[in-house]
Structures are given as C-alpha cells and as structure tokens.
Amino acid sequence: MSETKKNLTDVARQMMSGVVQVHVEGQLEEDIQSVMNPSIKIPGQWSGSGFFVRYLDLEGHIVTNAHVVRNSIKVEISSMLTSEERFEAEVVGLVKNLDPDIALIKLGNTELQRFKKYAIQDIEYLKLREGSSPFRGEEIKAIGYPMGMIEPNVSGGEITNFVSGSEYSTEHFVTNAAINPGNSGGPSISDDGTVIGLNTAVMMNAENIGFITPASFVKIIIENLLQHNESYFAGMGGKLQKNAENFNPLLKQTQARGVIVAQVLAHGFLEAAKIQARDVILAINGIEFDRHGIVIGKQGLYRHQNIYDVIKLVPIGEAVEITYQRAGEVHHTRAVAMRNPEKGIPSIPIISERKYLEVFGMIIQQLSVEIIDGMRDIDANAQIDMIQTIDQEEPVLVVTQIHQGTQADKMEWPPGELIIKANDTSIQTLSEFQNILEQNRGGAVLLECRNGRIGYFQIEADADFRSDV
C-alpha cells in the first residue's frame, strides 16, 4: 500500500505542472436583477482550475469547468511553469447548462508562444483515461488551486461511489478527496498517469463528499466541440419508462426486460430510428438493459450505468444500432446520434444571449428556465402558470419587469404575464412583436395574455423601442 501511495505521489508531482489556474472577469449570473432585466450587468471576478489536455495533435487546449468561464468577458491562465505571468485564453466552447460541467479553452498561437518562452520546461499535457473506469476504493489525487491559492494543491482520497446519470444529468464519480471552490476544473488522477475525471463540485453540508465528471464524458464533449461545434451530448429524443411484469401480456413478452418508449419527440433520435411509442428498447450498440434501464453484465454488479449514460457516450454524428421489441418480435434499426430537439422553453444561462424588448414600461423576453426559476421569489402563482408551458414546442413571450409610472404600470400589469397575441395576431418571438409595433407607429396595440388579461397601449410615432433582439 505504501508503495502505491508513493508512486501516486510521484505521478501527481509530475502531472501537477500541467494544471493551471484560471482567472476570470465576467458578469455575475446569479443576480435576479440580470435575469429579469438583461440590460443590468453586474461585474465580478473569480478563479478556478484547469489542465492542459492531450488530444490528437492540438496544442494549448485546456479543460476546465463550464461554471468557471460561463458569462466570462476576459479569461486568463497562470501556471507554476511561468511564475506569475498571465496569458489570455479563448473559450472554445462549454456546456451551457453545466451538465456536465465541462468547458474547453485555449491559448491562441501568440499567447502559446509567449507561454513557451516563459516556461521553465515543456508543457505537461495530461491524458484522459480511456476504456476502464475507476473502481470503488481506487486511490486518486485531486489537483487544483483551491481558495485562490497561487500554487497548486494536491489532495488525496479514493473513489467511494458512483452516481448514475438520467435524462437530465450525467454520471459522476464520488470521492472523499477534498474539492473546494477554486479547485474545481482541475484533474483527478490515478497512479497509471491518466486523468480519471474533472473535479466538479463538493456536496455542501456533507463531510468529505465531492464529485468528479468522468474522463469519458470530457472526451466526448471535446470531440463534439472540435468536430461538430456542438457542446452537447447525444440524447434519446424521447421519454422512456421502466418495464414491469404487468406489461408482459400487452407487450407480448415472456419476461420484463428492456425499457418502454413512452414518447417519441419530433426530429429526435428515436424518430430517426423509426422507433414508436410502446416499443421496448433492449440494447444499444450491443449493450443490453434490464427492465430498469440498467446495463446488464458484470459491471452491473458494481455500477448502475444506465441507458442514458450509454447514449451520451456516443459521439454526435456516429451511427447507433438499436435492438428493440415490437409486438413480441425483435428488430434491429440504426440512426445517427444527435442532440435532443430544442424545446420552446429553453435554458438561456449565458447573459449575453438573453434578448429583450423594452416597451410601454415593460421588459419583455422569451420565457426561459432561468426566468421561471427567478419568478419563484417574485410571484409563485405566476411561476406555476409558467411551469405549465415548460414542455411546449413553441416559444412564448413573458413580461419580466414593470417600470413605475408607465403605461403598463397604470394598467397594473404585473411581471410574469405571458403574451400570446398582439392586435389579435399570435406572436411567439420578440421579432414578431417588434414588427407589429413598427407597423402600428402612431396608433395602438392590443396585447392579450395567456390568462386572458389584456392591455391597450399607445405607440408614439417617434417611439424608440429599446431592444437587444
């Protein structure tokens, strides 16, 4: 045991030189004001960790957490190889909804050459582990720059558990190695000299429980970003449900196995594969599933990887074989892995991507997950109305702020109203609304909301519709 620890310590000491500190200037995204009124920008500074990643013949590419660089305006890195010099980095891409919490940044050629000039040795590019996953009890080291330290910190621990993914989340390793603010984005390494995953988060109010994003997911995100400019995983493109013995007569099965397709989304993966509702998915690329959607096999004794974990590890654009059962007969079909189709109510976590229109004393935006979440602290009843629209395929406009003394305020319009019509014409986007306003300059517009509320607004001939559409 002592020899293993010594070897791992030596490995960590060598790999430590490939870990960098990430310094960020950006906009604070948590503030409710910026959610309800995107014109409000609240600046901030913070830091995290990252590491130079070995991928094909690329140079200067660094993996970090998406939350470290999301809503950044300026990103710099520093390294123990270059004293206290800082180098400006570009964001290649990131997973905007932070699941998984992965981003890829890089040093442009000029900054990369400057880095090499100052570096006391060659850049240590870290290799992502491929194939086998760590096992419970495997010893690891987590490397990073916690709490803004200017030198990298190495904390020891082991893999203690695994958390399966779902339709909305990805698999994580659980560790008792210390992962603190600022440490996230660095690598967790094993004594084979590879990165087993990306330090991601610590569970608050729990002792010695941290989470690591598996290297396999990091690799897929890198490939999707660099090859397809897609910061997404492949998705099922539908809803699944667990199977049960009760369904055997209906599905013409002798034993409940595989998962039932409950819904097929338009323009998604299952539709492309010509899968129908009530088909039973038995396997993907030869990997079989039990009635719970858990992978069948030896690994299932120790891990609960499921059907969502399997599909997410297929690169976007790669052909996938599906084995399914319909009316008791087994069939095989193929389709290309693709991201899930976008819904009308998206997540818009990037502040610069939040478009709005300021008119009649109102801030009007496209309804998003962030707005729904923020409405909880403003009007819980309005939030309930919004939640009912969450699965619709078309966008919807929402009033997020009312200014005092304006037309909207005098008609006592509250924040949270969902606008569906303007002058009896259905509208779903800001550009559609703005076109109607332009066409009726010097006149009026009748707005109608989802709950029946109406508003009659006068449009001045020289009105300046403040917007970021």
Side-chain angles (χ1 to χ4, degrees), residues 103-391:
L104 186 66
I105 63 177
K106 72 173 183 179
L107 296 179
N109 187 60
T110 300
E111 289 296 85
L112 179 60
Q113 297 308 316
R114 193 167 72 88
F115 186 99
K116 290 180 177 180
K117 175 183 176 181
Y118 281 100
I120 59 176
Q121 67 180 55
D122 291 342
I123 295 174
E124 183 75 25
Y125 286 94
L126 307 190
K127 180 181 179 181
L128 299 170
R129 180 187 283 191
E130 298 187 31
S132 63
S133 296
F135 54 85
R136 280 186 181 84
E138 179 171 344
E139 190 177 1
I140 65 165
K141 296 285 189 183
I143 308 175
Y145 291 79
M147 316 306 289
M149 294 181 180
I150 62 173
E151 294 188 16
N153 185 76
V154 179
S155 59
E158 58 188 22
I159 298 297
T160 59
N161 208 340
F162 304 91
V163 177
S164 298
S166 70
E167 180 183 0
Y168 306 105
S169 62
T170 51
E171 182 187 28
H172 285 86
F173 303 150
V174 183
T175 182
N176 56 5
I179 297 177
N180 300 300
N183 196 24
S184 60
S188 281
I189 66 168
S190 182
D191 59 8
D192 65 358
T194 62
V195 176
I196 66 162
L198 183 67
N199 304 335
T200 297
V202 61
M203 180 176 287
M204 302 305 293
N205 302 319
E207 189 171 345
N208 298 330
I209 296 180
F211 296 101
I212 299 168
T213 300
S216 54
F217 287 114
V218 177
K219 184 173 183 291
I220 286 293
I221 288 296
I222 292 175
E223 290 181 349
N224 289 342
L225 277 172
L226 296 180
Q227 296 180 22
H228 304 283
N229 196 30
E230 290 267 18
S231 58
Y232 302 92
F233 284 130
M236 293 302 301
K239 301 288 185 181
L240 306 177
Q241 72 175 78
K242 293 184 178 183
N243 206 339
E245 298 295 335
N246 291 48
F247 290 117
N248 286 347
L250 175 68
L251 302 175
K252 294 182 171 54
Q253 289 184 310
T254 57
Q255 179 183 352
R257 64 190 184 107
V259 290
I260 302 171
V261 177
Q263 182 186 28
V264 176
L265 298 179
H267 314 300
F269 171 71
L270 290 180
E271 182 184 75
K274 296 185 169 50
I275 296 291
Q276 301 175 7
R278 298 188 185 177
D279 286 347
V280 180
I281 298 178
L282 303 175
I284 290 178
N285 285 344
I287 300 173
E288 297 182 341
F289 309 103
D290 67 14
R291 73 178 188 89
H292 301 280
I294 303 300
V295 174
I296 298 173
K298 182 178 179 181
Q299 193 171 12
L301 296 172
Y302 309 102
R303 296 275 298 282
H304 274 198
Q305 280 190 313
N306 59 39
I307 189 170
Y308 297 108
D309 297 323
V310 171
I311 191 66
K312 287 173 183 174
L313 287 175
V314 179
I316 287 175
E318 186 173 294
V320 181
E321 181 174 324
I322 306 174
T323 304
Y324 68 100
Q325 191 170 31
R326 178 181 296 167
E329 295 186 3
V330 176
H331 303 271
H332 300 275
T333 184
R334 295 170 70 86
V336 171
M338 65 182 74
R339 59 177 291 197
N340 281 329
E342 288 188 352
K343 294 183 179 180
I345 312 302
S347 173
I348 311 178
I350 308 299
I351 293 174
S352 61
E353 295 179 358
R354 294 174 185 164
K355 307 304 180 184
Y356 68 96
L357 186 66
E358 186 170 352
V359 62
F360 312 131
M362 299 183 289
I363 297 293
I364 299 173
Q365 302 183 63
Q366 179 183 354
L367 183 61
S368 67
V369 173
E370 289 71 26
I371 292 172
I372 294 175
D373 185 59
M375 188 57 63
R376 178 180 59 246
D377 298 327
I378 298 174
D379 186 334
N381 290 326
Q383 185 191 41
I384 292 172
D385 196 31
M386 292 176 180
I387 290 174
Q388 294 175 355
T389 70
I390 198 71
D391 285 326

Side-chain angles (χ1 to χ4, degrees), residues 359-362 402-403 405-414 457:
V359 62
F360 312 131
M362 299 183 289
I402 303 290
H403 298 305
T406 62
Q407 291 189 60
D409 182 43
K410 290 175 181 178
M411 279 184 277
E412 299 188 14
W413 267 43
F457 300 93

